[in-house]
Amino acid sequence: MKHSLMAALIALSSLTTLAATESDPQQSMPQQSIPQIELAIQSAGDFVAAEPVKMFPAPQAGMRQWVLTLPTLADEVDWMVEIQIGQTQWLDCNKHSLKGELKTLTLEGWGYPYYRVDELSEGPSTLRACFELAKQQGFVALPGSLRLNYNSRMPIVFYLPENAELRYRLWRAQENFRSTSKPQGTRP
């Protein structure tokens, strides 16, 4: 009898703990599913004109075509895509950057935008004395980033040098817009 009463109390306390955990606002918030972006990379030697981007030019020698295909979302107006272009390098303790120009081009006859960086080179860096600190691998990006409205109807196409990397992340608006104007009937 003692054992069954003790087991019932333990079971009841675990249910209470579970209910308290489920009612915690931080734990009960639904996890936002992050859309899975498809990425295709082709160089001049292995280029095959795929259906969604067959109207775009083939990459030139020494370049790669990067195609990001975004899945359809119900609330695309609330999302943005941020792009960084750079390289992974062995870095010392200094801050490093790259030089290169990200050009926005328009596909003739179609009006679709695409993006190109013809060349990446070493950019400015700080000149701190790192002495014998070990070098670590890190991503060095072109200054700034490209932010685009989320649009699943059009792939995002880049032409980058073979030694370049493309990184992306998604942004989502969390709240409705707030007004900055004064409500009617209030005094200054």
Side-chain angles (χ1 to χ4, degrees):
M1 176 91 171
K2 280 186 177 180
H3 293 294
S4 61
L5 181 59
M6 190 66 124
L9 286 173
I10 291 173
L12 182 60
S13 71
S14 66
L15 284 175
T16 306
T17 305
L18 180 61
T21 303
E22 288 179 359
S23 65
D24 181 356
Q26 287 184 329
Q27 297 215 4
S28 64
M29 292 174 67
Q31 290 292 324
Q32 175 64 44
S33 64
I34 298 173
Q36 294 299 311
I37 294 177
E38 286 184 39
L39 175 64
I41 306 168
Q42 296 187 71
S43 59
D46 64 3
F47 180 75
V48 177
E51 185 58 39
V53 291
K54 66 182 180 181
M55 71 287 289
F56 289 92
Q60 299 170 348
M63 300 286 281
R64 288 188 184 164
Q65 181 191 57
W66 297 65
V67 178
L68 282 78
T69 306
L70 308 175
T72 303
L73 300 176
D75 55 351
E76 290 186 10
V77 71
D78 291 340
W79 291 83
M80 289 185 72
V81 181
E82 181 180 8
I83 306 291
Q84 280 188 330
I85 296 167
Q87 298 173 330
T88 299
Q89 300 178 350
W90 286 99
L91 304 171
D92 58 15
C93 68
N94 287 291
K95 301 245 186 249
H96 298 269
S97 67
L98 293 174
K99 288 192 304 188
E101 181 183 358
L102 176 61
K103 299 174 186 173
T104 302
L105 304 168
T106 302
L107 187 60
E108 275 190 50
W110 294 84
Y112 300 149
Y114 65 98
Y115 308 90
R116 187 173 74 206
V117 174
D118 293 320
E119 150 181 21
L120 288 177
S121 59
E122 290 294 319
S125 71
T126 58
L127 297 173
R128 297 186 340 203
C130 299
F131 299 109
E132 300 203 16
L133 295 175
K135 289 187 174 187
Q136 298 179 355
Q137 280 199 323
F139 187 77
V140 180
L142 284 175
S145 60
L146 177 65
R147 290 183 183 92
L148 304 169
N149 291 331
Y150 193 101
N151 182 0
S152 63
R153 294 181 305 268
M154 275 303 304
I156 307 170
V157 179
F158 290 87
Y159 294 89
L160 305 176
E162 286 184 339
N163 63 350
E165 296 174 44
L166 182 142
R167 298 186 342 168
Y168 64 89
R169 65 180 170 178
L170 299 176
W171 292 84
R172 182 169 188 252
Q174 295 296 317
E175 297 180 10
N176 292 329
F177 284 98
R178 295 180 184 172
S179 177
T180 58
S181 62
K182 291 187 281 182
Q184 297 292 342
T186 59
R187 293 186 173 160

